[in-house]
Amino acid sequence: MAYHCGKDVAPRVTVTSGSLVTVATHDARSGKLKRPEDVIPTAPDFGAPGHPKTNPVTGPIAVEGAEPGDALAVTILDITLDAEGFIIARPEWGVVKNSVPHQVAKMLPVDGNAVIFDNALRIPLRPNIGTIGTAPAGEGVSSIYCGAHGGNMDSNAVCVGTTVHLPVNVDLGLLFIGDVHAVMSDLKPSVRAARSVRR
């Protein structure tokens, strides 16, 4: 688990081009938010030195023979979700700004093909990978940001059946994946999606 996409992170595995790889990821709170009351104690310190300890990525996955100037074509074949995820609202973020006095979390069970918000609302699953990127040539980039390397794109288009093309900036490519969502709107009104650990 890493909190940035960078060439300084040692590869977790090395594969050949065309390999099938299963990636296990953590949720945005690194698996520590298990109950709504955990939201404050697990909140990242954005003022701390280094990369914020949020939105972890798994990897990197090194690809034999990949060199700068190449591209990695990553096809998403499946996304498997855990039985429960969460959503967070913060007073300073999103279009729901100031609608809550402090950070609040809601645990969301995944049941069949839907996330259960409450007894009246089932939200159909639309799993996607929020963060997928390669190591940049220069300094590493926090996994909360996107850039020319990919990163935290939070796009519903990065889903099962999609092939994502990413630049190779360093030898072996160094692919990072994380921040998978069970469902996310096209606009995140609370700057959060229903997050779940997944493969």
Side-chain angles (χ1 to χ4, degrees):
M1 179 168 60
Y3 295 98
H4 71 287
C5 298
K7 61 186 177 186
D8 60 320
V9 184
R12 299 291 303 236
V13 66
T14 300
V15 300
T16 58
S17 180
S19 293
L20 212 61
V21 180
T22 299
V23 177
T25 66
H26 287 279
D27 61 50
R29 291 291 174 96
S30 306
K32 297 175 185 170
L33 197 159
K34 302 292 186 189
R35 307 166 301 154
E37 51 269 27
D38 295 336
V39 70
I40 301 295
T42 63
D45 180 356
F46 290 100
H51 300 286
K53 300 295 187 264
T54 187
N55 208 46
V57 287
T58 299
I61 299 166
V63 181
E64 286 181 7
E67 55 188 38
D70 291 345
L72 293 184
V74 182
T75 301
I76 303 160
L77 301 177
D78 191 24
I79 298 174
T80 303
L81 304 170
D82 271 359
E84 185 175 62
F86 60 83
I87 189 167
I88 297 174
R90 295 176 61 134
E92 69 274 21
W93 285 357
V95 297
V96 296
K97 185 182 272 188
N98 300 320
S99 66
V100 293
H102 53 79
Q103 284 189 60
V104 295
K106 181 172 180 62
M107 306 312 291
L108 301 172
V110 176
D111 180 36
N113 61 357
V115 167
I116 310 304
F117 191 81
D118 59 26
N119 289 335
L121 182 59
R122 292 175 57 92
I123 304 167
L125 293 178
R126 191 162 65 154
N128 69 77
I129 297 175
T131 303
I132 183 168
T134 53
E139 291 292 314
V141 176
S142 171
S143 55
I144 63 173
Y145 299 117
C146 62
H149 69 290
N152 189 21
M153 297 181 279
D154 277 344
S155 170
N156 278 309
V158 185
C159 60
V160 172
T162 297
T163 298
V164 180
H165 298 268
L166 297 162
V168 174
N169 304 298
V170 298
D171 288 341
L172 303 176
L174 303 183
L175 175 69
F176 295 84
I177 297 174
D179 189 33
V180 177
H181 309 110
V183 61
M184 184 179 76
S185 67
D186 292 321
L187 167 68
K188 294 198 305 191
S190 66
V191 192
R192 288 287 176 249
R195 298 170 185 276
S196 176
V197 178
R198 46 266 140 206
R199 287 178 277 260

